[in-house]
Short mmCIF file of all heavy atoms in Angstrom, two decimals:
data_model
loop_
_atom_site.label_atom_id
_atom_site.label_comp_id
_atom_site.label_asym_id
_atom_site.label_seq_id
_atom_site.Cartn_x
_atom_site.Cartn_y
_atom_site.Cartn_z
N ILE A 13 134.86 210.41 303.49
CA ILE A 13 136.31 210.56 303.06
C ILE A 13 136.54 209.74 301.79
O ILE A 13 137.32 210.13 300.95
CB ILE A 13 137.20 210.25 304.30
CG1 ILE A 13 137.17 211.22 305.38
CG2 ILE A 13 138.75 210.06 303.81
CD1 ILE A 13 137.76 210.96 306.65
N THR A 14 135.93 208.58 301.87
CA THR A 14 136.22 207.58 300.66
C THR A 14 135.60 208.28 299.41
O THR A 14 136.27 208.27 298.40
CB THR A 14 135.63 206.20 300.87
OG1 THR A 14 136.21 205.73 302.11
CG2 THR A 14 135.76 205.36 299.66
N ASP A 15 134.51 208.93 299.54
CA ASP A 15 133.85 209.56 298.33
C ASP A 15 134.70 210.71 297.93
O ASP A 15 134.90 210.92 296.77
CB ASP A 15 132.40 210.12 298.71
CG ASP A 15 131.48 208.90 298.95
OD1 ASP A 15 131.69 207.82 298.49
OD2 ASP A 15 130.33 209.16 299.52
N LEU A 16 135.24 211.48 298.91
CA LEU A 16 136.13 212.66 298.54
C LEU A 16 137.38 212.16 297.91
O LEU A 16 137.92 212.87 296.99
CB LEU A 16 136.40 213.40 299.72
CG LEU A 16 135.20 214.23 300.36
CD1 LEU A 16 135.63 214.90 301.75
CD2 LEU A 16 134.85 215.30 299.36
N LEU A 17 137.91 211.05 298.40
CA LEU A 17 139.13 210.46 297.65
C LEU A 17 138.79 210.18 296.23
O LEU A 17 139.68 210.47 295.33
CB LEU A 17 139.50 209.13 298.37
CG LEU A 17 140.26 209.33 299.72
CD1 LEU A 17 140.41 208.04 300.49
CD2 LEU A 17 141.75 209.83 299.51
N THR A 18 137.71 209.57 295.97
CA THR A 18 137.33 209.29 294.49
C THR A 18 137.21 210.63 293.78
O THR A 18 137.75 210.50 292.62
CB THR A 18 136.01 208.54 294.43
OG1 THR A 18 136.12 207.37 295.30
CG2 THR A 18 135.55 208.24 293.12
N LEU A 19 136.66 211.63 294.34
CA LEU A 19 136.56 212.86 293.55
C LEU A 19 137.96 213.55 293.32
O LEU A 19 138.23 213.99 292.21
CB LEU A 19 135.66 213.89 294.34
CG LEU A 19 134.14 213.43 294.34
CD1 LEU A 19 133.43 214.39 295.20
CD2 LEU A 19 133.57 213.43 292.88
N GLU A 20 138.74 213.53 294.30
CA GLU A 20 140.07 214.11 294.20
C GLU A 20 140.96 213.41 293.11
O GLU A 20 141.63 213.89 292.43
CB GLU A 20 140.80 214.16 295.61
CG GLU A 20 140.19 215.23 296.55
CD GLU A 20 140.21 216.65 296.11
OE1 GLU A 20 141.00 217.01 295.18
OE2 GLU A 20 139.44 217.41 296.69
N GLU A 21 140.87 211.93 293.19
CA GLU A 21 141.59 211.25 292.24
C GLU A 21 141.18 211.57 290.89
O GLU A 21 142.02 211.61 289.90
CB GLU A 21 141.40 209.68 292.57
CG GLU A 21 142.21 208.81 291.64
CD GLU A 21 141.97 207.34 291.85
OE1 GLU A 21 140.86 206.94 292.40
OE2 GLU A 21 142.86 206.51 291.55
N SER A 22 139.83 211.62 290.69
CA SER A 22 139.29 211.95 289.23
C SER A 22 139.76 213.31 288.83
O SER A 22 140.16 213.45 287.68
CB SER A 22 137.68 211.86 289.39
OG SER A 22 137.25 212.17 288.15
N CYS A 24 142.36 214.93 289.74
CA CYS A 24 143.81 214.84 289.52
C CYS A 24 144.15 214.27 288.16
O CYS A 24 144.87 214.78 287.36
CB CYS A 24 144.56 214.13 290.65
SG CYS A 24 146.44 214.06 290.40
N ALA A 47 146.41 219.88 289.21
CA ALA A 47 146.64 218.47 289.44
C ALA A 47 147.35 218.17 290.76
O ALA A 47 147.06 217.30 291.58
CB ALA A 47 147.31 217.71 288.32
N ASP A 48 148.38 219.03 291.01
CA ASP A 48 149.22 218.83 292.22
C ASP A 48 148.40 219.08 293.42
O ASP A 48 148.56 218.50 294.54
CB ASP A 48 150.39 219.88 292.17
CG ASP A 48 151.46 219.44 291.10
OD1 ASP A 48 151.50 218.34 290.69
OD2 ASP A 48 152.33 220.27 290.80
N ARG A 49 147.52 220.11 293.33
CA ARG A 49 146.69 220.41 294.46
C ARG A 49 145.64 219.34 294.84
O ARG A 49 145.40 218.97 295.96
CB ARG A 49 145.97 221.77 294.32
CG ARG A 49 146.89 223.03 294.44
CD ARG A 49 146.24 224.34 294.56
NE ARG A 49 145.28 224.59 293.53
CZ ARG A 49 145.65 225.38 292.49
NH1 ARG A 49 146.75 225.95 292.41
NH2 ARG A 49 144.76 225.66 291.56
N HIS A 50 145.09 218.75 293.71
CA HIS A 50 144.15 217.70 293.91
C HIS A 50 144.94 216.41 294.49
O HIS A 50 144.45 215.82 295.51
CB HIS A 50 143.62 217.12 292.55
CG HIS A 50 142.39 217.95 292.02
ND1 HIS A 50 141.28 217.92 292.64
CD2 HIS A 50 142.27 218.75 291.00
CE1 HIS A 50 140.38 218.73 292.03
NE2 HIS A 50 141.01 219.13 291.01
N GLU A 51 146.25 216.19 294.09
CA GLU A 51 146.97 215.04 294.65
C GLU A 51 147.33 215.35 296.18
O GLU A 51 147.28 214.42 296.94
CB GLU A 51 148.24 214.90 293.87
CG GLU A 51 149.07 213.80 294.33
CD GLU A 51 150.32 213.59 293.42
OE1 GLU A 51 150.45 214.33 292.47
OE2 GLU A 51 151.11 212.71 293.71
N ALA A 52 147.60 216.61 296.52
CA ALA A 52 147.86 216.92 297.88
C ALA A 52 146.65 216.70 298.74
O ALA A 52 146.77 216.11 299.84
CB ALA A 52 148.35 218.32 298.06
N ARG A 53 145.48 217.09 298.31
CA ARG A 53 144.23 216.83 298.99
C ARG A 53 143.99 215.36 299.16
O ARG A 53 143.53 214.84 300.18
CB ARG A 53 143.02 217.62 298.48
CG ARG A 53 143.20 219.15 298.66
CD ARG A 53 141.88 219.83 298.29
NE ARG A 53 141.64 219.74 296.90
CZ ARG A 53 141.92 220.69 295.90
NH1 ARG A 53 142.54 221.70 296.26
NH2 ARG A 53 141.61 220.39 294.66
N PHE A 54 144.12 214.62 298.06
CA PHE A 54 143.99 213.21 298.11
C PHE A 54 144.94 212.57 299.13
O PHE A 54 144.37 211.76 299.97
CB PHE A 54 144.36 212.53 296.68
CG PHE A 54 144.23 211.06 296.65
CD1 PHE A 54 143.10 210.49 296.29
CD2 PHE A 54 145.31 210.28 296.93
CE1 PHE A 54 142.87 209.12 296.20
CE2 PHE A 54 145.20 208.91 296.95
CZ PHE A 54 144.01 208.32 296.59
N ASN A 55 146.15 212.98 299.22
CA ASN A 55 147.07 212.38 300.14
C ASN A 55 146.66 212.77 301.63
O ASN A 55 146.83 211.90 302.49
CB ASN A 55 148.44 212.77 299.81
CG ASN A 55 148.99 212.16 298.65
OD1 ASN A 55 148.63 211.00 298.29
ND2 ASN A 55 149.99 212.78 297.92
N ALA A 56 146.20 213.99 301.81
CA ALA A 56 145.72 214.41 303.12
C ALA A 56 144.54 213.60 303.61
O ALA A 56 144.44 213.11 304.76
CB ALA A 56 145.43 215.94 303.17
N LEU A 57 143.63 213.35 302.64
CA LEU A 57 142.42 212.55 302.98
C LEU A 57 142.82 211.11 303.29
O LEU A 57 142.29 210.51 304.22
CB LEU A 57 141.35 212.62 301.86
CG LEU A 57 140.68 213.91 301.72
CD1 LEU A 57 140.00 214.06 300.32
CD2 LEU A 57 139.65 214.10 302.86
N LEU A 58 143.74 210.62 302.51
CA LEU A 58 144.16 209.23 302.67
C LEU A 58 144.83 208.98 304.00
O LEU A 58 144.58 207.98 304.71
CB LEU A 58 145.14 208.79 301.58
CG LEU A 58 145.55 207.33 301.44
CD1 LEU A 58 144.29 206.49 301.26
CD2 LEU A 58 146.56 207.19 300.30
N ALA A 59 145.50 210.02 304.58
CA ALA A 59 146.18 209.93 305.88
C ALA A 59 145.15 209.95 306.94
O ALA A 59 145.52 209.44 308.04
CB ALA A 59 147.10 211.09 306.02
N MET A 60 143.93 210.27 306.76
CA MET A 60 142.88 210.31 307.70
C MET A 60 142.32 208.86 307.92
O MET A 60 141.74 208.65 308.93
CB MET A 60 141.76 211.19 307.37
CG MET A 60 142.08 212.71 307.40
SD MET A 60 140.65 213.69 306.93
CE MET A 60 141.26 215.26 306.88
N LEU A 61 142.46 208.10 306.98
CA LEU A 61 141.83 206.71 307.02
C LEU A 61 142.75 205.83 307.81
O LEU A 61 143.81 205.86 308.01
CB LEU A 61 141.59 206.13 305.69
CG LEU A 61 140.48 206.92 304.85
CD1 LEU A 61 140.26 206.23 303.51
CD2 LEU A 61 139.10 206.88 305.64
#
Side-chain angles (χ1 to χ4, degrees):
I13 291 172
T14 302
D15 290 346
L16 290 171
L17 280 168
T18 301
L19 293 171
E20 291 297 343
E21 180 182 28
S22 176
C24 181
D48 291 343
R49 288 195 301 262
H50 278 295
E51 185 175 355
R53 286 190 297 266
F54 178 91
N55 290 330
L57 288 166
L58 188 59
M60 291 180 186
L61 294 179

